[in-house]
Amino acid sequence: MDKKDGQYSKKEISYYWIIFLGLVLHILAEVVFIYAKVPVLIHYNLFSIALFIVLLTKAKNNKEITALVGFIEVTIYCIVSTTIMGWGYGFQNWLIVVVVLALTVPFSARRKFYMLAIIMALTYLVLYFAKGLEGNINKLTFLDIFLILANRVGLFILLFFSEKALGWSNIIENFFLQNEVKKMKEIVGTDELTGLINRHKMNLILEDMNKSIGKDNSIFYIAFADLDDFKYINDTYGHDVGDKILILIANVLKQEFRNDDVVARWGGEEFLILLRNERDDMGQLDSSKVMSILNRVRIKIENMKMKYKEHNIGVTMTFGSVGSKNYKSVADMINDADAQMYEGKRTGKNKVVVL
């Protein structure tokens, strides 16, 4: 099983990368300001770079304050840059981008971001009349002013209205919430030490398997696996070494079983494995094929050594397994698989017993 059951693949939305992009853009702007020989912007932009570096260190744990400070800085940056360089260089256009970002923050306390978005929209309009129309404002007719206001004010009104009508911020907030819920479910269902699913999660999976047992022709197998003489390892080398061995064993089990199989840490040094349905390379499962699969894993574990000080510590594992063909409940399968595993222990350990 290469991936943990239930692992979600969507990446978490993070302001880290937005702040990182802002930092990169400020660094590029610094090169431009140095080339253009604009001392005020050179020095101010150095402050911006330093601020964004600080924000970058806070972005993952303090998203709300990081976003707010970043948006405020960009607003000031646009005002200073547009005032000094002029409207034609386009610094003011970043205000539109940040208005959209401010309107769609996934935070419950959005009032301050809405107020900031309004301030940025008004700032854009003021800059346009002060710098964009510099020298030409006296030549404007009433129609000119009306169209200028209608287009630019209309743009921001549409942005604000769209956010309210479409609920962008609610959608993003719900996405955040769903991710947090998925994280919590994953934590609850995952063994902290090995990263395998835990007994609770495996029981839920087995409950689903119990509903289909005996109802179709697909055969699945349940196997118990237990490390041999694990108490001796803990007593001899310490529990830290024991934990490292459990992690190594878990990694072997993850690698050796398919995505459709499920491996769980059942408790202590004991693991439960669910082998499901047909194998692409082996066809329908039967006892001989399960014996072959489990023996391959057993041999790999037997050949594995862990270096500890001057010692090369080796471990072995005993497996017991049963198939669903002659069973009416998963609970009975678990009991018999456990019994087969203990039969393997009784008759010499480091072996596979399949009923």
Side-chain angles (χ1 to χ4, degrees), residues 77 126 234 262 288 329:
Y77 175 84
V126 171
N234 277 332
V262 186
S288 64
S329 77

Side-chain angles (χ1 to χ4, degrees), residues 57-316:
T57 65
K58 307 292 184 181
K60 290 187 176 180
N61 297 322
N62 300 282
K63 296 175 184 176
E64 186 169 343
I65 188 65
T66 298
L68 184 63
V69 173
F71 294 164
I72 292 172
E73 193 285 326
V74 171
T75 303
I76 298 171
Y77 175 84
C78 289
I79 294 172
V80 175
S81 301
T82 304
T83 300
I84 294 174
M85 298 291 288
W87 184 265
Y89 288 95
F91 289 102
Q92 71 286 343
N93 293 328
W94 291 105
L95 287 169
I96 300 174
V97 176
V98 182
V99 165
V100 175
L101 292 174
L103 288 176
T104 56
V105 291
F107 309 126
S108 55
R110 300 193 189 101
R111 185 182 299 274
K112 61 178 76 74
F113 288 94
Y114 272 91
M115 293 302 298
L116 182 59
I118 293 171
I119 292 170
M120 286 186 284
L122 293 174
T123 299
Y124 182 92
L125 293 174
V126 171
L127 285 173
Y128 181 76
F129 279 96
K131 303 301 296 183
L133 297 175
E134 194 171 22
N136 296 316
I137 193 166
N138 293 327
K139 301 176 184 178
L140 296 178
T141 65
F142 173 79
L143 180 61
D144 294 331
I145 295 174
F146 173 79
L147 290 175
I148 288 169
L149 289 173
N151 282 302
R152 285 162 178 79
V153 173
L155 166 68
F156 289 109
I157 289 176
L158 180 61
L159 285 177
F160 281 84
F161 175 78
S162 297
E163 196 287 321
K164 285 295 185 183
L166 300 177
W168 297 334
S169 53
N170 288 327
I171 292 171
I172 295 174
E173 184 179 11
N174 287 335
F175 184 78
F176 263 100
L177 181 61
Q178 288 170 8
N179 274 347
E180 293 301 320
V181 170
K182 287 180 180 179
K183 278 185 179 180
M184 291 303 298
K185 286 182 178 179
E186 184 176 335
I187 291 170
V188 169
T190 303
D191 177 62
E192 184 178 2
L193 177 66
T194 64
L196 297 171
I197 69 170
N198 60 22
R199 184 168 181 163
H200 171 73
K201 181 64 178 290
M202 180 58 114
N203 275 324
L204 295 177
I205 294 171
L206 293 176
E207 284 179 12
D208 288 336
M209 299 300 295
N210 195 62
K211 296 174 184 176
S212 62
I213 192 170
K215 294 183 180 179
D216 54 40
N217 295 322
S218 63
I219 303 298
F220 63 90
Y221 278 73
I222 288 176
F224 265 107
D226 189 88
L227 283 170
D228 300 323
D229 303 313
F230 190 65
K231 183 178 184 300
Y232 171 79
I233 292 173
N234 277 332
D235 292 344
T236 304
Y237 303 106
H239 288 278
D240 287 344
V241 172
D243 286 348
K244 290 178 181 177
I245 288 176
L246 287 172
I247 293 169
L248 287 175
I249 294 297
N251 288 336
V252 171
L253 297 177
K254 290 175 189 177
Q255 293 166 6
E256 291 298 315
F257 290 97
R258 310 174 311 158
N259 288 343
D260 286 342
D261 299 327
V262 186
V263 182
R265 185 181 180 197
W266 197 248
E269 68 273 23
E270 195 171 51
F271 300 85
L272 186 68
I273 304 156
L274 170 64
L275 298 95
R276 293 196 277 205
N277 302 327
E278 294 186 358
R279 328 290 287 187
D280 293 337
D281 56 340
M282 303 177 75
Q284 179 69 47
L285 284 176
D286 58 32
S287 59
S288 64
K289 292 171 183 175
V290 171
M291 175 74 78
S292 174
I293 293 166
L294 296 180
N295 258 317
R296 184 191 70 226
V297 179
R298 180 190 63 78
I299 292 169
K300 185 163 186 177
I301 291 171
E302 182 182 13
N303 293 331
M304 180 187 72
K305 304 293 180 185
M306 192 190 86
K307 182 73 174 177
Y308 175 68
K309 296 182 179 179
E310 70 276 11
H311 304 286
N312 284 317
I313 304 172
V315 293
T316 61

